[in-house]
Amino acid sequence: MGPAEGRRGVTIRLEHISKRYRLGQRETVALDDVSITVERGEILGLIGHSGAGKSTLLRCINLLERPSSGTVTVDGVRLDTLPERELQRQRRRMGMIFQHFHLLSSATVAENVAFPLRLAGVSRTDRERRVREVLHWVGLAGFEDKYPSQLSGGQKQRVAIARALAPGPDVLLCDEATSALDPQTTQTILDLLLAAQRELGVTLVVVTHDMSVVQRICDRVVVMHRGRVVETGTAADVLLDPRHELTRELVREAGWQMTGRHAPLMGRRTVLTFVGDNVYEPVLMRVAQAAGVTFSIVEGRIDRLKVQPFGRIVVDWQGTDEQWKRAAALLEALGVSVSEAVTTGSRG
Amino acid sequence: MTDIVWPEIWQATWETLYMVGIATALTVILGLPLGVLLVLWSTPRLRPQAVLYQVLSVVVNIVRSVPFVILMIAVIPVTEWIVGTSIGVNAAIVPLVIGAAPFFARLAESAMREVDPGVMEAARAMGASTWVIIWRVLLPEARPGLIAAVTITAVTLVGYSAMSGVIGGGGLGDLAVRYGYERFQTDVMLVTTALMVVLVQIMQMIGDRLVQHYARR
Ligand SMILES: Nc1ncnc2c1ncn2[C@@H]1O[C@H](COP(=O)(O)OP(=O)(O)O)[C@@H](O)[C@H]1O
Ligand SMILES: [Mg+2]
């Protein structure tokens, strides 16, 4: 597959999108005046509880769902006003993958991957060459003649990714693409999505309810609740410093909100957040020695956000107020963010 | 078994095969598009047409609820108009097709409803038109169910053809009635009935094999 150079991503712009469903007398508002943009070449996560409107919003991008109002612009082209036939042509520039893969069960792997190429009028020989190429890229060389029922879930999703990427789209829309997979398989699929971004320059919009997907691949995140966008920010903002109550809840449910509340209080309780390479340095030890304090780590997590190392630890400091102030200042100076822990937890 | 008229029996067997074969082919040609329309007009993400669907649905139900014996007689004018006569093997095919097409349309409809809507959705996301979705997704994905529907229809047509043969003249059913019922030659009746049983068995076996072949995927 081609390198990323010379390939420009697409800006997706959704403006004032509303979507209402009428079921008899009842009206459901699935989307309520939502505006988002997707930057060229980024991976944008759409998160929120079930029923928040994530899938509906994603499907508005390729007009699988027609918004009740609002505009959809992809790479400068207004899609919502296009006639059906022209829209079909535009959809070929956007791949889509799903939680349950949606492969043709009556067709072989090669026929599945060739499907969009056939739609695009690619000649038979070019199709065959491209199918081999893209199957090789997803790690399924030699699987051409198998049927989907002979594959594992992860392999099926690889075929779906190959099918979506075969025509060389600028955008890949992913609706809960890893939600039906076990953790190990999820990792391999996420690696493939990252490779699509890095090697092919594809822009990805990823609907998920799984915070670990956000952590591992997303650059930016849009948080949705009841058809509205409640928060937008970088993955680090949303995971490490959530603002909206709902985002906090999501982050807490995923075990990201550390407070040390299960640990007995061993001193002045603080939450320290490290982002960047200082995660791996002996920062705490140095600061403690310089300020003359001791400390206990009561909870913590050291991991990476996509490629960026971060650490969040809950630390109890033992020492005088004076000493602690010095320690806090030193920590801040080293780029560690310090906040007081909410100490509602158990004591002694 | 002394006075069994074997040449006549083979002739009648051939006539039954001919009637059932042609009628099945025409039934599929007529009924499959009807089945596709029934699905198309009642599926939100395809081409929902509530009124058209209701009309077609009612017409299909009416034809299906008329007993075949009555339908056979009722369509005689149509038969005369199409074939030029209301007797003979060719004339017998007309009521068979009119009777079986709505039946097959319903079977085809339910086979196509089994197709995962998500797969059609994926095709739409790839830029497929409704026509392409029908042709390259709906029909191929429903193939095992459609083959089963053809088998059921063909088997049903063996039974119908015995009835329509009585009026139109021809086939195993006609023979059974002429010799067995009218001339009390029970042996002829038994042989013709046995032949129909064998015919049905063979058709069912072929159908099942084909379904198995395509469903293994
Ligand atoms: N075709 C539909 N008809 C009626 N209501 C729908 C339809 N699709 C979605 N909804 C409603 O819209 C809301 C948002 O759904 P969805 O976008 O699927 O949420 P999410 O993907 O965040 O779980 C839900 O309340 C859902 O019931
Ligand atoms: Mg969803």
Side-chain angles (χ1 to χ4, degrees):
Chain A
M1 312 253 292
E5 288 99 293
R7 184 73 172 279
R8 281 147 52 92
V10 182
T11 314
I12 301 167
R13 196 179 292 280
L14 301 183
E15 282 172 308
H16 304 295
I17 300 285
S18 292
K19 177 71 188 180
R20 293 176 284 273
Y21 290 107
R22 202 180 302 279
L23 288 171
Q25 300 285 16
R26 288 252 313 267
E27 195 183 67
T28 316
V29 181
L31 296 174
D32 184 7
D33 192 24
V34 174
S35 299
I36 64 164
T37 55
V38 187
E39 308 288 335
R40 292 175 198 283
E42 76 171 340
I43 300 185
L44 179 76
L46 285 181
I47 64 168
H49 284 129
S50 167
K54 309 180 293 292
S55 298
T56 307
L57 188 64
L58 187 77
R59 296 156 53 83
C60 282
I61 296 175
N62 60 0
L63 270 292
L64 280 183
E65 213 70 72
R66 224 163 241 293
S68 309
S69 60
T71 65
V72 179
T73 314
V74 176
D75 207 15
V77 181
R78 267 288 288 279
L79 297 189
D80 53 298
T81 51
L82 286 182
E84 188 61 27
R85 189 162 286 274
E86 186 55 30
L87 183 58
Q88 282 160 12
R89 251 169 41 82
Q90 291 292 333
R91 282 191 184 125
R92 292 174 198 159
R93 301 171 48 210
M94 292 182 264
M96 191 167 194
I97 59 172
F98 307 85
Q99 180 174 5
H100 298 295
F101 328 120
H102 297 340
L103 299 175
L104 288 158
S105 63
S106 58
T108 62
V109 165
E111 286 162 354
N112 268 287
V113 177
F115 192 98
L117 299 172
R118 212 180 243 271
L119 288 177
V122 176
S123 74
R124 192 198 175 88
T125 44
D126 287 350
R127 272 203 315 259
E128 282 169 3
R129 186 183 46 73
R130 181 65 181 157
V131 166
R132 259 198 312 280
E133 190 178 50
V134 77
L135 279 176
H136 181 262
W137 191 83
V138 299
L140 288 181
F143 279 67
E144 282 83 352
D145 296 328
K146 292 207 184 296
Y147 282 89
S149 62
Q150 299 170 290
L151 306 180
S152 70
Q155 289 169 337
K156 284 182 198 169
Q157 196 60 292
R158 282 165 183 273
V159 175
I161 291 172
R163 180 174 71 172
L165 294 179
D170 303 313
V171 174
L172 183 60
L173 307 174
C174 312
D175 194 349
E176 304 274 12
T178 57
S179 299
L181 305 174
D182 63 59
Q184 273 156 5
T185 314
T186 293
Q187 185 56 58
T188 64
I189 295 300
L190 293 181
D191 288 343
L192 213 47
L193 297 182
L194 275 176
Q197 179 191 34
R198 291 198 190 126
E199 294 172 25
L200 312 175
V202 175
T203 302
L204 288 92
V205 185
V206 176
V207 165
T208 185
H209 64 268
D210 182 353
M211 287 299 174
S212 74
V213 171
V214 173
Q215 180 209 333
R216 283 186 265 184
I217 69 171
C218 290
D219 300 302
R220 278 194 322 127
V221 182
V222 167
V223 186
M224 296 189 64
H225 182 51
R226 297 194 178 166
R228 288 168 172 274
V229 170
V230 296
E231 187 163 347
T232 305
T234 64
D237 285 344
V238 168
L239 288 174
L240 298 175
D241 189 17
R243 298 294 158 97
H244 192 275
E245 183 44 46
L246 181 98
T247 317
R248 293 214 173 116
E249 194 181 309
L250 287 168
V251 166
R252 196 161 51 234
E253 284 163 3
W256 281 79
Q257 197 83 315
M258 274 160 279
T259 57
R261 69 198 157 90
H262 299 295
L265 203 57
M266 305 296 288
R268 179 188 289 265
R269 180 153 296 178
T270 59
V271 179
L272 307 183
T273 307
F274 302 67
V275 180
D277 288 332
N278 69 358
V279 168
Y280 304 125
E281 283 163 22
V283 172
L284 280 185
M285 199 58 187
R286 281 195 199 131
V287 167
Q289 280 172 347
V293 292
T294 56
F295 61 89
S296 334
I297 296 172
V298 298
E299 195 175 349
R301 175 168 190 166
I302 291 168
D303 207 333
R304 294 194 306 169
L305 277 173
K306 202 159 182 174
V307 289
Q308 187 174 48
F310 80 92
R312 164 159 286 177
I313 50 180
V314 182
V315 179
D316 286 357
W317 299 93
Q318 298 100 29
T320 64
D321 272 4
E322 211 46 35
Q323 286 171 314
W324 157 242
K325 273 189 194 128
R326 218 170 108 71
L330 284 168
L331 284 166
E332 300 272 11
L334 287 166
V336 178
S337 100
V338 182
S339 64
E340 296 282 328
V342 193
T343 49
T344 51
S346 61
R347 215 160 283 242
Chain B
M1 304 275 275
T2 43
D3 15 302
I4 291 189
V5 276
W6 287 106
E8 259 191 272
I9 289 180
W10 297 133
Q11 171 68 19
T13 307
W14 162 245
E15 282 169 1
T16 293
L17 282 173
Y18 174 82
M19 280 192 288
V20 171
I22 303 284
T24 302
L26 292 176
T27 297
V28 171
I29 290 170
L30 197 68
L32 190 58
L34 288 178
V36 168
L37 284 181
L38 285 169
V39 174
L40 207 57
W41 288 346
S42 60
T43 308
R45 300 214 182 275
L46 292 174
R47 288 280 167 86
Q49 296 282 354
V51 178
L52 286 175
Y53 175 78
Q54 281 307 326
V55 170
L56 183 60
S57 181
V58 166
V59 170
V60 163
N61 287 348
I62 289 173
V63 180
R64 283 194 60 196
S65 54
V66 177
F68 184 67
V69 193
I70 295 174
L71 188 83
M72 218 161 62
I73 296 160
V75 300
I76 283 177
V78 181
T79 309
E80 283 179 339
W81 180 68
I82 296 176
V83 191
T85 169
S86 66
I87 53 167
V89 181
N90 285 326
I93 290 173
V94 175
L96 288 180
V97 173
I98 293 175
F103 173 68
F104 178 73
R106 282 294 187 203
L107 292 179
E109 179 193 3
S110 69
M112 287 184 275
R113 284 201 194 289
E114 295 294 310
V115 174
D116 179 0
V119 183
M120 292 190 264
E121 189 76 343
R124 218 154 70 85
M126 288 185 267
S129 62
T130 305
W131 175 245
V132 168
I133 291 174
I134 292 170
W135 201 241
R136 297 212 180 278
V137 181
L138 191 60
L139 293 175
E141 288 289 287
R143 189 159 44 199
L146 290 174
I147 292 169
V150 173
T151 309
I152 294 170
T153 306
V155 167
T156 308
L157 280 171
V158 171
Y160 282 3
S161 79
M163 276 192 268
S164 77
V166 173
I167 284 194
L172 290 167
D174 180 40
L175 197 68
V177 170
R178 276 195 286 123
Y179 283 83
Y181 183 71
E182 287 163 8
R183 298 188 206 165
F184 305 106
Q185 290 197 3
T186 323
D187 48 1
V188 176
M189 200 160 72
L190 287 176
V191 169
T192 51
T193 309
L195 277 172
M196 284 201 278
V197 170
V198 170
L199 192 61
V200 167
Q201 288 296 338
I202 291 173
M203 284 178 352
Q204 190 66 51
M205 205 182 68
I206 294 172
D208 288 348
R209 283 274 166 82
L210 285 172
V211 169
Q212 228 173 30
H213 175 75
Y214 286 111
R216 118 196 103 77
R217 296 165 168 187

